[in-house]
Amino acid sequence: MNEPKFRAKQLFDWLHVKMATDFSEMLNLPKSLREKLGNEHSIAKVSEVTRQESRDGTVKFLYELVDGNTVETVAMDYERGISLCVSTEVGCRMGCRFCISTRGGLVRRLSAGEILGQVYASSKNLGKRINSVVMMGIGEPLDNYDASVRFIELITEPMGYNMAGRNISLSTCGLVPEMDKLAELKLPITLSLSLHAANDEKRNRNMPVNRVYSVNEAVGAAVRYSERTGRRVSYEYAIIHGWNDTDEDADQLRDLLKGTLSHLNLIPINSAGDKSMHATRDDAYRFQKKMLDRGINTTVRRTLGSDIDAACGQLRSRKIKADEVTN
Ligand code: SAH
């Protein structure tokens, strides 16, 4: 725009430190420049539609985007600070059978600004700094590769929000080419692979992506990621009572993960209305014991916000249903 260099720095500071949502706020820029910016550009806006607060301090936001679509963002209060779970897409096209977020398919991908907007809006709404981010909300981040990477670059920018890369996790259902592409960038973030089954027959059934990239291919890419980046990979495994928690499953999972730089994270499946899939925390603890006995580093994920349906997809799907009723 033929402006002096220092204006770029001022603008960046307004966007990423002061988290301005409108160019008119940027009072140290000349009025003419503010107007020009306003005419030629826009700041990705996410606005709070509803907020649910759990007894345990978890806050779940439903955010509306400029085109009226909505996404969910969940803030979890841990001892080490606020961890924010962000969405990367409106809906999802991966089709995992147990996941609510994918039921209506993919509506559209979010821009990097809209992912970032969830962090900034939550930071302002809570009046607190966000300490860590998990890209585990609605959507498949690696199916929105460029925006997800751009988001990570911006949120970790020292002149901006300056979040530590090690405080960011990106979760994928296992898009192998993008996992390899990400490894090449050597970003200091944690990669999580949603595994949920240890053989192709079972994984095919619940995760269509497995028909394209098998269990061995997905785990292979995760191992390459850890070799390339030196970082421990996290494997997500949602326990489904009686289906993926047998001794045979534990043996197969051990064979996959043994000797890799990894961490296994168990989650009791959220049955989300489907009674054929369920699990209790005790089921998860029982399977944890099996894995620990087999020498695999395993934890059971804390459950937060269960009284507000904090698991992703639930608030958005209710809003869509409510809109259908009123329209
Ligand atoms: N698409 C990415 C990130 C979003 S899903 C991925 O697949 O990893 C975030 C996590 O929630 C994934 O591990 C996903 O498998 C899990 N998940 C989805 N539905 C679930 C359910 N009903 N119960 C437990 N975990 C679920």
Side-chain angles (χ1 to χ4, degrees), residues 85-86 88-89 92 94 96 98-101 103 135-142 170-174 192-196 207 236-239 267-272 277 301 311-312 314:
C85 181
V86 298
T88 53
E89 297 180 313
C92 182
M94 295 296 122
C96 299
F98 43 76
C99 181
I100 295 192
S101 300
R103 287 194 189 153
M135 300 170 79
M136 282 195 190
I138 298 171
E140 167 50 53
L142 294 187
L170 183 150
S171 182
T172 180
C173 61
S192 285
L193 175 63
S194 298
L195 200 53
H196 306 322
M207 300 181 69
E236 309 296 311
Y237 196 91
I239 298 289
I267 316 137
I269 190 102
N270 183 326
S271 56
M277 296 185 262
R301 188 186 294 162
C312 264
Q314 307 193 8

Side-chain angles (χ1 to χ4, degrees), residues 18 32 53 61 63-66 86 97 116 118-119 122 136 169-170 174 189 204 210 212 218 238 260 286 315-316 326:
K18 301 192 179 80
S32 58
E53 292 182 41
F61 295 102
Y63 284 127
E64 186 167 69
L65 310 171
V66 279
V86 298
R97 257 172 51 126
L116 209 51
Q118 296 168 65
V119 181
S122 305
M136 282 195 190
S169 290
L170 183 150
I189 63 164
N204 279 344
N210 198 71
V212 185
T260 67
R286 268 191 290 276
L315 205 54
R316 172 171 171 260
T326 43

Side-chain angles (χ1 to χ4, degrees), residues 176-294:
V176 168
E178 285 76 17
M179 289 165 78
D180 281 328
K181 220 164 117 185
L182 190 69
E184 289 308 309
L185 298 181
K186 288 195 165 193
L187 299 170
I189 63 164
T190 299
L191 181 70
S192 285
L193 175 63
S194 298
L195 200 53
H196 306 322
N199 65 53
D200 286 326
E201 195 194 332
K202 286 189 182 178
R203 200 164 184 264
N204 279 344
R205 185 160 164 270
N206 277 350
M207 300 181 69
V209 66
N210 198 71
R211 292 179 206 136
V212 185
Y213 306 111
S214 68
V215 169
N216 279 329
E217 287 172 304
V219 172
V223 169
R224 285 195 293 281
Y225 185 92
S226 77
E227 286 168 356
R228 188 93 184 104
T229 62
R231 300 195 56 85
R232 184 178 299 277
V233 173
S234 162
Y235 292 88
E236 309 296 311
Y237 196 91
I239 298 289
I240 301 176
H241 178 87
W243 188 72
N244 63 357
D245 59 353
T246 64
D247 286 342
E248 195 190 353
D249 294 305
D251 287 341
Q252 291 175 346
L253 197 50
R254 175 204 53 212
D255 292 346
L256 280 174
L257 304 186
K258 192 94 205 168
T260 67
L261 185 61
S262 65
H263 169 253
L264 178 64
N265 201 358
L266 306 177
I267 316 137
I269 190 102
N270 183 326
S271 56
D274 180 346
K275 293 202 178 60
S276 67
M277 296 185 262
H278 57 90
T280 61
R281 282 192 79 72
D282 280 343
D283 289 322
Y285 290 129
R286 268 191 290 276
F287 195 70
Q288 179 190 28
K289 176 154 191 323
K290 288 186 210 261
M291 295 313 298
L292 290 173
D293 288 346
R294 286 165 175 77

